[in-house]
Amino acid sequence: MKILYTKCNSERAKEFQLQTTIFEVDGKKFVKKKALTKEAIAHIDNMKQNREALEGSILDKNLLLVPIVESSKDSITFEFINGESFDNRLKRVGYDSNEAKEMMQNYQNLLFNGFKSTKFDHTSMVTDKFKEIFGDFDYSDLDNTTCYDGICNLDMIFSNLIYKEDKLYLIDYEWLFNLSLPVEYILYRTYQMVPKEVSNILPIKFKNEILFHKMERSFIDNYVMKNSFYFYRNNYLKKNQTLEGLQKHIEQLEEHRKELAKTIHTQRENIDNLNETIQDYHEIFQNYQNTIHNQTLEINRLNELVNKISNELEYAHKTIELRDEQIQYLLPKNRIKHIFKKFNPLNKSPLYNPFNKVIETTKNHTPDYVYREPILSEEIKNDINNFKIKPLISIITPVYNVDPKWIEKAIKSVETQWYDNWELCIADDCSTNEATKKYLKSINNPKIKVKFLNKNLNISGASNAALELANGDYIALLDNDDELTPNALYEMVKVINNSNADFIYSDEDFISPDGVYCNPHFKPDFSPDLLLSNNYITHFSCFKKELLDRVGYFKSEYDGAQDYDLFLRLTEKTDKIYHIQKILYHWRMIEGSTSASEDAKPEAKERGKKAIEAALKRRNINAKVEYANISHNFRVRYEIQGKPLVSIIIPFKDKPELLDMCVNSLIDKTSYENFEVIGISNNSEEKETFQLMKELEGKDSRVKFYEYNVEFNYADINNYAVEKFAKGEHILLLNNDIEVIAPNWIEAMLEHSQRKEVGCVGAKLYYPNDTIQHAGVIIGLGGYAGHSHKHYTRESKGYYNRLMIVQNLSAVTAACLMIKKSIYQEVQGMDSVNFKVAFNDVDFCLRVKEKGYLNIFTPYAELYHHESISRGYETTPKKIARFEREKKALFERHKEILTNGDPYYNPNLCHDKEDFSICPK
C-alpha cells in the first residue's frame, strides 16, 4: 500500500473528527475515512446507514454514489473516482460561456428534480433535532417550498461531483441527515463557495437568504465545531460566543467602563476636598498627604483597568471580524482549496490561515502590569540595621546633554534609597547643553561626586572617568535618565549578606515620558547561552569592584554595547552570580534610547556582535556570530567538529501513515548525512506497518527496524534502543509523529550537543496549524511542568524574543531531544520504573542538569509535531491513575525545583498559563 495523501480534521468536535487517507494498491486508488476518536465512530456508522436511504432517494439515473469497497466498525473505504470535477469543468469551459450557464442550470435542476422531494411544512418537519443542528428560528416563510423527502445530503458542493464518462458521481456524503431540508438552503450553502466569476451566472435569487445564513452559522458553530471552536483572551471571550452574545458582552463592558469613569471622577473630587482640608489644617498635613497618596494609587489602578477594558473592547470588535474569516475558512470548499495549495509543489504563494492570525490591539503599556512602590517596614529597617556586611556601593552614572529633569529624577531615586551607604559618581562627558552642566554644578550633596571632562570621551570613557571617583566595595550602574526603585540597594546588599555574590542583577521595567510603568522584564536566573543571544541582564546590575579590577574597565571599541561586553567578561570570571526576581530599575523610554526603539542606536548592534566575537575568542570557542531576527539579538553558530554519527531512535506502534511521514521527511529533507534511524516497533499489529518497515529499509540503508514487544513504556523502549542498537556518538530521541521542516535541524542541535558543558538539546516544534507546541519545558507550570509559549503563532517573537533565540532551560521534550550517548549512559538513561509514559523526559533532563550540564533550547531546529496522535491522551481510568503516580514521583524526586521554582522562569510570571503572561498580584 502506498499512501498518497492524509488529512486529520482534528479541529472539529470529537464526534466528527475523521482521518481521510488516499492510498494506492496494485495501481488502484482508494479513499478511506476513519474515526480519529471513539466518539466519531457513530458518525461513520451514520454515513453507512444513511447511504442506503440516500441511494433510494435518487431519481436521476445519471447520478451515482461512489461505491464502498470495504467497511469496518470505525472506517469506510471508497473507490477513488478518476474523472473531472464539476468545478474544474466549469473553470475549463469558462465562467462566462454558454456551456457554463447550461451547467449551472443543470446543477440546479439536479438539486430540485434529481431526488425525491415534497413540500416543506415547518409544523411537522422542524423537529428538535432540526433545531439542534440548524437553529431554533421561525421557518414559516419556507412553507410550501420544495424540500427533500426525509433524507438530505448537505455536501452537494461542486468539488464533490465528478464527471466520469456519461455519469456524474457524488464522492462525499459525510453530512447526511434524516431531515427534510429546503432545496434552496442546499443551493445557498453551495453558492456561498463558488468563485466570484460564477456569481454573475447564478440562475436563482434567494428570498430567504438571511434565514439560510443563520442556519449555516448554527450548523458550523453548534454542530460541526461544537466545543472545539474556542476564543480565549484573558478569560474574556467565552466558548461558542455568537455575534449577538459578543455584542451584548461589549455593551456590558461599555457600561462597566462608564461606571469606572464615574468612580475616577468621584475619587478626583475626593482628592480636591482633601487638598482643601490640608490647606485649612496644616498641623495634620502629613496624615492627609498619605491619604492623597493612597487615593492617587487607586486612581492609577482604575486608569489601568479602564485602559485594559478599552483594549478588550477593541479586541472584541476585531475578534468578531476574525470569527467570520475563520468560519469562511472552515467551509468545505475553502478547506479543500487550502489543502490542495499546501501540497501543490507548484504553489509558491504563502498560505493564509486565519487561525494563525494574531489580533493586535493598541496598547500603551503592558496589560495586567501595575508597578507598586515598595513600603519601608519596621522589619526592613531592622534588617538593614542588622546587616553584618554594609558595603559602600559606588553608583556610576555617565552624563551627556541629558535634560535636567531626567537627571534630577535619577539622582532623586538614589537619594531616597532605604540603604544609605552609597556614593553617586557622575562624569559629565563634556556636555554642550548648558542647562545640563548648570544643574550638575548646583548639586549640593556630599555623597554625590561630579567630574567634568574637558573633551568628549563617549560613554565608555565617561564611565571609566566616573569609576576613577569610586571608593566602593561594589559598583552599580545607573543611566543618566533612568530611576532606581527605593529598595534597589537594600535588595542588593541583602543578597551580598546572604550569598557573598560577585555579580548581581535584577528585573526591570520601562517608564514612559509621562510616568507610566510598563513592559516589565521578568528575567531568568543566569543563563549563559541566553547572554550570548542578547544582553538580557541590562539593568540593574551590581558587582564587586575587585572583580571589575580583574577583568578591566569599559572598552571604547564597544561603545553602545559597552555594558554587554563588560557583563560577558565579568561572568567569565565567577560563578557567584545572583538574580533578584524583583523590579529594581525603571528604564526611561525617551527619544534616542533603545528602550523606546530597538533601532535607536544602529552602531550598538554591530558592536554587540563584536563583543560576543571577542568573548568566543577569549574562551577558545570555534564559532561565528550572526544577527538574529531583531536588533541586538544574535545567534552563535558553533562549528561542528568532524561528522559524528547521530543515532535517531523512533519508538512506534502501527500508525504507518505517521511513520511514513516521519521517516521519509528525515530521509528527504535532512541535510546532515551521517545519521542512523533506529525504529523500535512496540506491539505493532497492522500488516501495512510491517510492509512499510521493509520498504523504508530498502529505500535507505541508514534505516533499520527492530521489534520490542513489551508493555508500552517509553523510557524502557528508548533505553533498550540506546543499549542494544545505537552506534552514534549522539542520541536523538524522536517521536514517530514528528515531521521535518528545516533541513539543517540536526546541525542546529548537534552544534550544541557536541559542547562538553551541554546535556540535553531541544528543538522548536509546531502543531500542524503552525502554532507553538514546544519551545522548552518550564518546571512548575500547571503544578508540575508545561511548555513555553504554547499556541503562540510561528511568527511570534515570544516574551522578550525568547521564541527566536538560543537559551538555557531546565528541560526540553523528548519528542525531539539530542544528547551525547556518554551522558545518556552517565545518568543511566530514562527512569523506566517511575516514569513509564509521562514526565520521563522532564525527569531525565533534570537529572542531567543536576550533573552540572546545561540544557538548551534552539529555535533553529524546526519540526512539526502531530502531538499524541500515535498513543493518544490520558483519558482512561487506568491511564489517569498511572499519570497521577508519575506526577507524584516527579514531586518526590524533584521537590526542590518544584518548590523553589524553575531558575529559567520567573515567579512574577503566571504558573497556570503557558504564555509568559504576568502573574496578577
Side-chain angles (χ1 to χ4, degrees):
M1 179 181 74
K2 181 179 181 182
I3 296 174
L4 304 175
Y5 164 80
T6 186
K7 178 191 76 170
C8 299
N9 52 14
S10 53
E11 75 277 2
R12 291 181 182 173
K14 288 183 178 179
E15 294 88 339
F16 308 112
Q17 290 183 8
L18 303 182
Q19 179 187 57
T20 301
T21 304
I22 300 175
F23 62 94
E24 185 177 3
V25 177
D26 297 330
K28 290 194 67 175
K29 295 179 182 177
F30 302 92
V31 180
K32 183 177 183 179
K33 286 186 177 289
K34 183 176 182 180
L36 281 174
T37 64
K38 63 180 180 181
E39 293 87 350
I41 293 175
H43 188 49
I44 291 287
D45 191 51
N46 185 61
M47 290 170 61
K48 299 174 190 174
Q49 293 178 7
N50 287 345
R51 183 186 189 278
E52 185 177 346
L54 178 63
E55 196 168 33
S57 73
I58 297 175
L59 301 178
D60 191 325
K61 296 180 180 180
N62 291 320
L63 178 64
L64 301 174
L65 300 183
V66 60
I68 294 177
V69 297
E70 189 178 59
S71 175
S72 68
K73 178 183 177 182
D74 63 349
S75 68
I76 311 176
T77 303
F78 301 94
E79 179 184 333
F80 184 90
I81 304 298
N82 278 310
E84 183 179 25
S85 66
F86 189 96
D87 51 356
N88 282 344
R89 178 173 291 191
L90 196 63
K91 184 177 181 180
R92 178 172 58 79
V93 301
Y95 296 127
D96 57 350
S97 67
N98 290 332
E99 188 176 348
K101 294 176 183 178
E102 183 181 351
M103 285 178 64
M104 293 300 296
Q105 187 61 57
N106 290 341
Y107 173 78
Q108 185 168 306
N109 291 340
L110 174 65
L111 263 61
F112 273 99
N113 305 315
F115 300 86
K116 290 180 182 179
S117 61
T118 185
K119 295 298 181 182
F120 189 81
D121 177 11
H122 79 282
T123 60
S124 61
M125 295 178 175
V126 180
T127 62
D128 289 341
K129 182 179 180 181
F130 191 112
K131 293 176 184 178
E132 177 190 352
I133 299 173
F134 298 101
D136 188 1
F137 306 119
D138 181 3
Y139 292 98
S140 59
D141 286 345
L142 298 177
D143 284 350
N144 294 318
T145 61
T146 303
C147 67
Y148 294 110
D149 190 5
I151 185 76
C152 178
N153 174 35
L154 257 64
D155 267 352
M156 291 296 295
I157 58 176
F158 293 169
S159 57
N160 284 346
L161 294 170
I162 304 293
Y163 287 103
K164 184 177 180 182
E165 298 172 352
D166 58 344
K167 302 294 183 182
L168 188 62
Y169 284 85
L170 177 58
I171 64 169
D172 195 340
Y173 37 86
E174 182 179 339
W175 299 114
L176 283 175
F177 295 98
N178 289 316
L179 297 171
S180 297
L181 287 169
V183 176
E184 284 194 11
Y185 167 58
I186 307 303
L187 274 171
Y188 169 80
R189 74 186 308 273
T190 299
Y191 288 169
Q192 297 308 302
M193 307 174 202
V194 299
K196 292 181 180 180
E197 296 89 344
V198 181
S199 301
N200 298 326
I201 61 172
L202 295 181
I204 189 173
K205 301 298 180 183
F206 299 100
K207 295 179 182 179
N208 296 289
E209 185 170 357
I210 294 176
L211 176 57
F212 293 155
H213 178 72
K214 290 180 178 179
M215 291 172 66
E216 185 66 11
R217 290 291 293 270
S218 177
F219 172 63
I220 293 174
D221 283 357
N222 301 326
Y223 192 71
V224 179
M225 304 312 297
K226 218 169 186 178
N227 295 325
S228 291
F229 198 37
Y230 295 134
F231 285 97
Y232 285 109
R233 181 68 172 189
N234 298 330
N235 295 323
Y236 163 58
L237 293 176
K238 305 302 180 185
K239 300 175 187 176
N240 299 311
Q241 188 75 291
T242 62
L243 286 173
E244 291 83 3
L246 283 172
Q247 190 61 44
K248 183 178 179 180
H249 205 80
I250 291 170
E251 291 170 0
Q252 291 172 347
L253 286 173
E254 181 64 23
E255 288 298 319
H256 192 193
R257 187 192 67 77
K258 290 178 180 178
E259 290 175 8
L260 288 173
K262 289 179 181 178
T263 304
I264 291 172
H265 179 72
T266 302
Q267 295 283 18
R268 285 176 175 159
E269 287 183 346
N270 291 340
I271 291 175
D272 292 339
N273 293 334
L274 286 170
N275 278 323
E276 292 176 7
T277 305
I278 289 171
Q279 292 174 3
D280 295 337
Y281 301 97
H282 185 70
E283 63 274 13
I284 57 172
F285 170 76
Q286 188 62 47
N287 292 335
Y288 279 113
Q289 188 179 45
N290 291 337
T291 304
I292 290 172
H293 177 70
N294 292 334
Q295 294 282 7
T296 303
L297 288 176
E298 179 64 12
I299 287 174
N300 289 338
R301 186 186 71 79
L302 291 171
N303 274 326
E304 291 282 343
L305 189 57
V306 169
N307 286 333
K308 178 183 175 183
I309 291 174
S310 297
N311 284 335
E312 288 183 335
L313 284 170
E314 178 187 359
Y315 183 84
H317 283 297
K318 291 184 177 180
T319 300
I320 291 172
E321 296 173 1
L322 179 58
R323 185 179 177 86
D324 282 330
E325 286 185 46
Q326 291 171 335
I327 288 172
Q328 288 297 317
Y329 176 82
L330 290 172
L331 292 175
K333 165 220 153 180
N334 294 328
R335 293 290 295 142
I336 291 170
K337 278 188 175 180
H338 181 84
I339 290 166
F340 277 125
K341 280 186 179 179
K342 182 174 181 178
F343 292 100
N344 183 359
L346 299 178
N347 178 52
K348 302 299 182 183
S349 60
L351 296 176
Y352 172 70
N353 186 341
F355 285 94
N356 292 340
K357 184 175 180 180
V358 177
I359 298 177
E360 296 182 356
T361 56
T362 304
K363 299 174 187 165
N364 297 320
H365 55 83
T366 307
D368 302 327
Y369 174 68
V370 178
Y371 170 72
R372 302 190 188 281
E373 190 167 297
I375 297 173
L376 178 58
S377 64
E378 289 300 319
E379 182 181 355
I380 293 175
K381 289 179 182 178
N382 292 334
D383 199 12
I384 294 172
N385 290 332
N386 294 327
F387 279 153
K388 291 183 180 179
I389 305 172
K390 296 183 178 180
L392 175 64
I393 307 292
S394 297
I395 303 170
I396 305 303
T397 302
V399 172
Y400 182 71
N401 285 346
V402 66
D403 190 320
K405 66 181 180 182
W406 300 137
I407 183 64
E408 183 179 10
K409 286 182 177 293
I411 291 173
K412 185 69 173 176
S413 75
V414 175
E415 290 178 326
T416 55
Q417 287 296 303
W418 299 346
Y419 180 80
D420 62 2
N421 191 20
W422 55 264
E423 63 177 3
L424 178 58
C425 304
I426 298 174
D428 177 74
D429 196 19
C430 198
S431 293
T432 57
N433 184 345
E434 291 300 323
T436 302
K437 293 191 286 188
K438 182 179 179 181
Y439 173 77
L440 293 176
K441 290 175 181 177
S442 71
I443 295 172
N444 184 22
N445 186 327
K447 297 170 72 172
I448 301 176
K449 305 174 183 178
V450 182
K451 181 177 184 178
F452 293 92
L453 301 181
N454 295 325
K455 65 176 181 177
N456 183 266
L457 298 179
N458 293 319
I459 190 164
S460 291
S463 297
N464 289 338
L467 280 168
E468 293 173 359
L469 304 174
N471 294 315
D473 305 298
Y474 281 81
I475 303 296
L477 305 179
L478 172 66
D479 288 348
N480 63 188
D481 47 11
D482 297 339
E483 298 178 33
L484 300 179
T485 64
N487 59 328
L489 295 184
Y490 158 70
E491 296 290 350
M492 292 287 175
V493 176
K494 183 165 71 170
V495 169
I496 292 169
N497 275 267
N498 292 336
S499 68
N500 194 30
D502 290 336
F503 185 96
I504 312 166
Y505 66 96
S506 76
D507 298 335
E508 63 186 305
D509 65 13
F510 291 71
I511 182 171
S512 68
D514 56 354
V516 175
Y517 299 107
C518 57
N519 304 334
H521 189 181
F522 294 118
K523 307 167 187 175
D525 290 351
F526 185 59
S527 172
D529 284 279
L530 182 59
L531 189 60
L532 286 172
S533 297
N534 65 29
N535 180 14
Y536 78 94
I537 291 176
T538 52
H539 318 101
F540 178 46
S541 63
C542 179
F543 39 87
K544 279 184 178 178
K545 177 66 160 55
E546 178 189 358
L547 179 63
L548 178 67
D549 291 337
R550 285 170 56 199
V551 304
Y553 289 6
F554 293 98
K555 296 184 177 181
S556 59
E557 60 263 40
Y558 303 113
D559 277 350
Q562 73 288 340
D563 290 359
Y564 195 8
D565 166 68
L566 181 61
F567 295 159
L568 288 168
R569 289 187 282 125
L570 290 170
T571 54
E572 288 171 9
K573 297 299 183 181
T574 182
D575 57 1
K576 294 180 180 179
I577 302 168
Y578 195 94
H579 165 222
I580 298 174
Q581 298 166 332
K582 295 181 181 179
I583 299 289
L584 301 183
Y585 195 97
H586 303 307
W587 191 359
R588 195 174 305 280
M589 302 166 66
I590 60 174
E591 186 177 355
S593 170
T594 52
S595 61
S597 171
E598 294 171 346
D599 300 318
K601 298 177 180 179
E603 72 282 356
K605 175 181 175 181
E606 180 182 348
R607 290 167 184 171
K609 180 173 179 283
K610 289 182 178 179
I612 300 172
E613 289 171 340
L616 296 174
K617 186 176 181 179
R618 287 192 302 273
R619 302 173 192 183
N620 295 316
I621 295 173
N622 194 0
K624 62 180 180 179
V625 183
E626 300 173 354
Y627 294 117
N629 59 313
I630 57 175
S631 293
H632 311 294
N633 284 257
F634 308 91
R635 177 186 182 182
V636 175
R637 192 190 288 266
Y638 296 82
E639 183 174 322
I640 295 174
Q641 304 301 312
K643 293 183 179 180
L645 177 65
V646 176
S647 297
I648 304 174
I649 296 171
I650 307 176
F652 64 94
K653 177 185 177 181
D654 288 319
K655 301 292 181 182
E657 67 279 2
L658 289 179
L659 185 65
D660 185 41
M661 171 196 71
C662 178
V663 177
N664 273 310
S665 73
L666 288 177
I667 295 170
D668 298 338
K669 295 182 181 179
T670 302
S671 57
Y672 189 80
E673 295 181 351
N674 195 21
F675 67 83
E676 62 174 355
V677 174
I678 301 169
I680 305 295
S681 171
N682 176 233
N683 299 313
S684 293
E685 299 172 349
E686 296 179 12
K687 177 181 177 182
E688 293 87 345
T689 302
F690 295 99
Q691 183 178 342
L692 178 64
M693 289 160 59
K694 291 181 180 179
E695 290 176 3
L696 292 172
E697 285 183 333
K699 179 177 180 179
D700 195 307
S701 60
R702 296 173 294 181
V703 179
K704 299 293 181 186
F705 289 99
Y706 307 92
E707 291 191 60
Y708 189 47
N709 296 323
V710 296
E711 181 184 3
F712 177 64
N713 181 326
Y714 183 80
D716 180 42
I717 295 170
N718 282 294
N719 291 344
Y720 175 78
V722 172
E723 180 183 353
K724 297 293 184 180
F725 307 114
K727 304 180 186 70
E729 184 180 337
H730 298 265
I731 301 298
L732 203 163
L733 307 181
L734 197 71
N735 276 19
N736 66 323
D737 53 0
I738 292 290
E739 180 182 0
V740 174
I741 299 174
N744 61 347
W745 67 286
I746 288 184
E747 292 94 331
M749 301 180 79
L750 182 57
E751 63 174 297
H752 297 292
S753 184
Q754 70 177 355
R755 294 162 53 193
K756 64 180 181 179
E757 72 274 19
V758 170
C760 303
V761 182
K764 190 175 185 181
L765 307 180
Y766 305 102
Y767 287 110
N769 67 349
D770 284 326
T771 60
I772 300 296
Q773 188 274 332
H774 171 267
V777 174
I778 305 298
I779 307 302
L781 287 191
Y784 38 94
H787 285 192
S788 162
H789 296 91
K790 198 170 186 179
H791 297 303
Y792 272 55
T793 64
R794 184 170 177 176
E795 298 79 15
S796 295
K797 299 182 184 71
Y799 186 69
Y800 280 90
N801 206 41
R802 286 182 66 171
L803 277 175
M804 296 295 185
I805 49 179
V806 173
Q807 63 207 263
N808 302 110
L809 292 173
S810 293
V812 293
T813 180
C816 183
L817 182 155
M818 186 182 288
I819 188 171
K820 287 184 278 292
K821 184 177 180 181
S822 59
I823 299 178
Y824 194 99
Q825 293 170 330
E826 181 183 347
V827 299
Q828 298 179 347
M830 289 187 164
D831 184 342
S832 60
V833 176
N834 295 301
F835 304 102
K836 296 180 180 180
V837 179
F839 306 120
N840 39 58
D841 48 3
V842 176
D843 168 72
F844 178 74
C845 289
L846 292 179
R847 287 190 290 113
V848 169
K849 180 175 177 292
E850 288 165 3
K851 289 287 186 179
Y853 297 103
L854 294 170
N855 295 330
I856 280 182
F857 161 73
T858 174
Y860 301 106
E862 296 180 283
L863 307 97
Y864 283 119
H865 186 192
H866 304 261
E867 187 186 28
S868 291
I869 291 177
S870 182
R871 290 280 173 176
Y873 293 97
E874 315 288 2
T875 54
T876 66
K878 182 178 178 181
K879 287 184 178 180
I880 291 171
R882 189 257 313 140
F883 178 81
E884 290 300 321
R885 287 196 303 273
E886 292 172 339
K887 187 165 71 171
K888 182 180 179 182
L890 187 73
F891 271 96
E892 290 174 351
R893 176 173 290 174
H894 302 289
K895 182 178 180 180
E896 182 178 351
I897 190 170
L898 283 163
T899 302
N900 298 329
D902 191 327
Y904 298 113
Y905 198 54
N906 192 297
N908 295 290
L909 301 174
C910 279
H911 281 71
D912 58 353
K913 300 178 183 177
E914 296 174 297
D915 59 359
F916 273 71
S917 56
I918 297 166
C919 182
K921 298 291 185 182

